[in-house]
Amino acid sequence: MQPQKNKQVQVGNTEFDAVIVGSGPNGLAAGITLQQAGLSVLIVEAKSSIGGGMRSAELTLPGYLHDVCSAIHPMALLSPFFAALPLDKFGLEMIQPTLAAAHPLDDGTAAVLDQSIVHTALRLGADEGAYLDLMGPLVETLPGLLPELLGPLRWPSQPVSLAKFGLKALPSAWATGKRFKTKAAAGLWAGMAAHAIQPLENIATSAFAIMLMAAAHLKGWPIPKGGSQSIADALASYFSSLGGKIETGFEVSSLTQLPGSKVVLMDVTPKQLLRIAGDRLTASYRARLENYRHGPGVFKVDWALDEPIPFTAADCRKAGTVHLGNTLEEIAQYERNVAKGIQGEKPFVLVAQQSLFDSSRAPEGKHTAWAYCHVPNGSKVDMTGEIESQIERFAPGFRDIIKAKHTMNAAEMEGYNPNYIGGDINGGIQDIFQLYSRPVLSISPYRTSARDIYLCSSSTPPGGGVHGMCGYHAARQALKDVFKIIIEK
């Protein structure tokens, strides 16, 4: 069913306390937070199904269930907001792969990210001590720092611990990676840092690797049973149980389409905010939004397979996620080129193997695979051949087990989800200049220049990922400003 454009909600003469545009993880998180506070909330969604980046569908063949966008969720269990919700009672079951991630090398071996920090370090040989020195203290202190790290800039409640975290997080991933002696440790580190989708030489790219590795050691990298849609469905079910309402097939092009409310929260990018509500914003605020920057896009492939990917390294066949890029130098070179708008031949590829651990994803005895690589923003280049070559490099015979495939280039990613501007899945580049000052540098980045309009998308702190924290913080700000309700942390 295609979304109905310019639909007008008709719910009797009822006006809502709040209306939220967009049903991604942040829109749903904002709705839940407001509804928990006793407000009446409506969420409107352009597509016929909810979820934003949390959707699953039979993209290749009947019976093969693929995650359309997000697949593995390192931040889902680490999120303070999600942790406080009874999502297991609303159908959500998270599966832990045997290994969180693996990183194969050309010599047939692989570095691994195990839930055990000791086991991970032990496998790194000469870098065992270096890894424990880097990650050990961070794993101990991170849980207490998460409320501050996953939110807007505030005066720290634990300044000493935060300063120690910053000393390790602020250097570039390239600088930190060069401290490792082995190719295995440096490659594993580079693959984690490359989730930043920016050059590894950039300041603070170490923070991305640290957060992902610590997440694995603390809570694992879980896979939602039945697909990423399961997370969206559980959030929506809980929201509805609180009395919230959801309308799908409702594409918003103007705020005048929405029913009356005291506040509107927008789970959209600055570009869309300008298009939908630009006439309600001040000229100075509009000018600041127009300077918001987006990063590289992604090219994604889903496969229906006759059997699991035949990785040479046995550990790769036990991992939910496999990073393909060989060495720190190779990954850094590719990401550097992408940032310059140059398309490389040996992409850094992120592979997810959900069906190894969730049999509901494919017919009995068959499998699915999910992968993407970074590309210049807005690219329409088909990277299928390059991605498959990288997999074949570490899993000879891969092409022989492919039954069907489905691809989306960066431009098509934006066509599927308007929040992915040019294929940018993080809602804007998350470099040091735009990590906490997204979309603008402000005491409260969730406020806009209009008193009744708030931004709650991944274009606000703490940025991309399935964690709901952007929506949670935006809703808290709206509760405080508009409804004079303060939620304790």
Side-chain angles (χ1 to χ4, degrees), residues 34-54:
L34 296 172
Q35 199 69 43
Q36 286 175 326
L39 305 187
S40 59
V41 184
L42 170 69
I43 296 176
V44 298
E45 165 60 45
K47 289 189 174 293
S48 59
S49 63
I50 60 163
M54 306 177 296

Side-chain angles (χ1 to χ4, degrees), residues 11 59 153 234 237 260 274 306 353 463:
V11 191
L59 298 177
L153 282 176
S237 294
L274 287 167
D306 271 324
Q353 306 181 105

Side-chain angles (χ1 to χ4, degrees), residues 168-176 189 193 196-208 293 295-296 332 335-336 339-340 429-434:
K168 294 183 177 181
L170 284 176
S172 73
W174 174 262
T176 301
W189 171 262
I197 317 183
Q198 57 186 287
L200 301 193
E201 294 85 0
N202 280 9
I203 295 173
T205 43
S206 286
F208 291 84
R293 295 175 297 116
E335 296 301 311
R336 191 182 306 126
K340 294 178 180 178
I429 192 167
Q430 296 186 150
D431 60 13
I432 189 65
F433 305 106
Q434 201 169 262

Side-chain angles (χ1 to χ4, degrees), residues 139-193:
V139 170
E140 291 181 4
T141 59
L142 186 61
L145 293 175
L146 282 174
E148 295 178 27
L149 293 174
L150 298 180
L153 282 176
R154 291 286 186 269
W155 186 259
S157 61
Q158 302 179 59
V160 175
S161 294
L162 191 61
K164 290 180 178 178
F165 176 88
L167 287 174
K168 294 183 177 181
L170 284 176
S172 73
W174 174 262
T176 301
K178 294 300 285 184
R179 296 177 185 173
F180 291 113
K181 301 174 184 177
T182 65
K183 289 184 178 180
L188 179 66
W189 171 262
M192 299 295 156

Side-chain angles (χ1 to χ4, degrees), residues 130-335:
Y131 187 80
L132 289 174
D133 288 343
L134 173 66
M135 294 302 302
L138 295 172
V139 170
E140 291 181 4
T141 59
L142 186 61
L145 293 175
L146 282 174
E148 295 178 27
L149 293 174
L150 298 180
L153 282 176
R154 291 286 186 269
W155 186 259
S157 61
Q158 302 179 59
V160 175
S161 294
L162 191 61
K164 290 180 178 178
F165 176 88
L167 287 174
K168 294 183 177 181
L170 284 176
S172 73
W174 174 262
T176 301
K178 294 300 285 184
R179 296 177 185 173
F180 291 113
K181 301 174 184 177
T182 65
K183 289 184 178 180
L188 179 66
W189 171 262
M192 299 295 156
H195 282 257
I197 317 183
Q198 57 186 287
L200 301 193
E201 294 85 0
N202 280 9
I203 295 173
T205 43
S206 286
F208 291 84
I210 286 170
M211 289 295 288
L212 289 173
M213 287 175 151
H217 298 321
L218 290 167
K219 298 288 186 178
W221 283 17
I223 296 170
K225 184 177 182 179
S228 294
Q229 185 73 50
S230 300
I231 301 178
D233 291 344
L235 288 167
S237 294
Y238 178 59
F239 171 68
S240 297
S241 77
L242 298 173
K245 298 183 182 298
I246 299 176
E247 290 280 344
T248 57
F250 188 119
E251 186 171 326
V252 178
S253 58
S254 169
L255 294 183
T256 60
Q257 297 170 241
L258 302 176
S261 66
K262 298 180 179 68
V263 66
V264 175
L265 283 80
M266 306 288 289
D267 186 6
V268 302
T269 63
K271 180 179 180 179
Q272 294 160 277
L273 179 64
L274 287 167
R275 177 175 56 82
I276 296 171
D279 59 337
R280 293 284 314 281
L281 307 175
T282 63
S284 61
Y285 185 71
R286 290 199 305 269
R288 295 167 74 189
L289 291 183
E290 287 167 355
N291 290 325
Y292 189 72
R293 295 175 297 116
H294 285 276
V298 301
F299 181 94
K300 178 175 175 285
V301 189
D302 290 282
W303 295 275
L305 304 175
D306 271 324
E307 58 188 67
I309 300 177
F311 284 110
T312 300
D315 283 326
C316 292
R317 302 194 294 270
K318 304 174 186 176
T321 300
V322 181
H323 289 160
L324 306 180
N326 197 33
T327 63
L328 165 66
E329 291 76 14
E330 183 177 320
I331 295 171
Q333 180 63 52
Y334 181 79
E335 296 301 311

